[in-house]
Amino acid sequence: MASLTPLAYAALGLLNEGPSHPYEMFQTMTHRRDARNVKVRPGTLYHQVGRLVEHGHAAVVGTDRAGNRPERTTYAITDAGREALHDGLLELISAPADEYPVFHLALAEIENLPQDEAVSSLVDRIAALEVQRTELDEIRAVVSAKALPERWWLDVSYVHAMLTAQIEWLRATVARIESGDVPWTEPGTGPAVPPHTSTNSKEPTR
């Protein structure tokens, strides 16, 4: 089975709801704000659906034309596509993947910033995350008003919980840095290693 991209999972998930054409799929993804989970553009989605057809995960089931608009091809998921979606999701959900978030790296190297800049950058991150959480609150209000089954928006609930946990951790960490509970040595105050100097500046002869 060919490895599926995040966009492929999203496309198969839509086709599993029923036959559709790529532009309609893009509109649905935009309405659902799926850009929170996967980068999607009309061109890349059309290409991805074509790849699904090549791998036997989707198939053409019809074409239609509305007025003077270009002809649209409708696709449906195949049995192989349902199997790929099912097996892939089981693996993605059950087995933690080796991921390398940029923020984890930044935290590992934050000691290289002066204390005031480290604190201010963490405070800026808190503000940005609070904006994201507010946007998720708005999404949750919309789906709740529509009485959509919670299983359709578990990702929103999960991301909201992760944002809340990160904001709380950041606030506590900022407070500990400012109080001195996290000792801070200003960068550049340690012993410097002298640059390597060669005793012979001449190029070796051949």
Side-chain angles (χ1 to χ4, degrees):
M1 181 181 69
S3 177
L4 297 179
T5 66
L7 184 56
Y9 281 109
L12 282 176
L14 285 174
L15 292 178
N16 202 37
E17 297 178 18
S20 183
H21 53 76
Y23 183 70
E24 182 181 19
M25 293 166 67
F26 175 74
Q27 289 181 313
T28 300
M29 295 179 74
T30 300
H31 178 70
R32 295 178 179 177
R33 303 190 187 184
D34 285 346
R36 293 175 291 104
N37 303 319
V38 61
K39 185 176 182 179
V40 57
R41 295 175 181 171
T44 55
L45 183 57
Y46 274 88
H47 176 73
Q48 183 61 76
V49 172
R51 294 283 293 172
L52 292 176
V53 172
E54 291 177 12
H55 291 298
H57 296 154
V60 176
V61 293
T63 57
D64 63 86
R65 184 190 300 273
N68 294 326
R69 295 180 179 179
E71 188 176 75
R72 290 179 175 174
T73 302
T74 300
Y75 299 87
I77 193 171
T78 63
D79 289 339
R82 285 195 176 92
E83 181 179 354
L85 179 63
H86 172 270
D87 294 349
L89 288 177
L90 282 182
E91 182 177 354
L92 288 175
I93 292 172
S94 62
D98 291 328
E99 299 173 345
Y100 306 96
V102 174
F103 183 55
H104 290 188
L105 170 63
L107 282 178
E109 302 296 337
I110 196 173
E111 64 188 56
N112 295 292
L113 290 176
Q115 180 178 344
D116 60 337
E117 292 184 6
V119 168
S120 65
S121 63
L122 292 175
V123 170
D124 288 344
R125 183 177 184 88
I126 292 172
L129 293 178
E130 287 177 332
V131 170
Q132 293 181 22
R133 188 170 60 174
T134 299
E135 292 174 350
L136 285 178
D137 286 335
E138 295 172 355
I139 294 174
R140 292 205 301 181
V142 170
V143 295
S144 295
K146 293 182 178 180
L148 294 175
E150 187 177 0
R151 67 179 185 275
W152 288 5
W153 49 279
L154 279 176
D155 64 308
V156 176
S157 178
Y158 170 78
V159 174
H160 190 279
M162 294 302 100
L163 286 174
T164 298
Q166 186 178 164
I167 290 170
E168 292 176 353
W169 183 89
L170 287 168
R171 285 175 176 165
T173 301
V174 166
R176 293 179 64 222
I177 294 174
E178 290 180 328
S179 68
D181 287 345
V182 179
W184 209 269
T185 301
E186 294 300 302
T189 59
V193 178
H196 175 73
T197 55
S198 174
T199 57
N200 186 357
S201 60
K202 295 182 178 180
E203 292 291 331
T205 57
R206 297 184 181 180

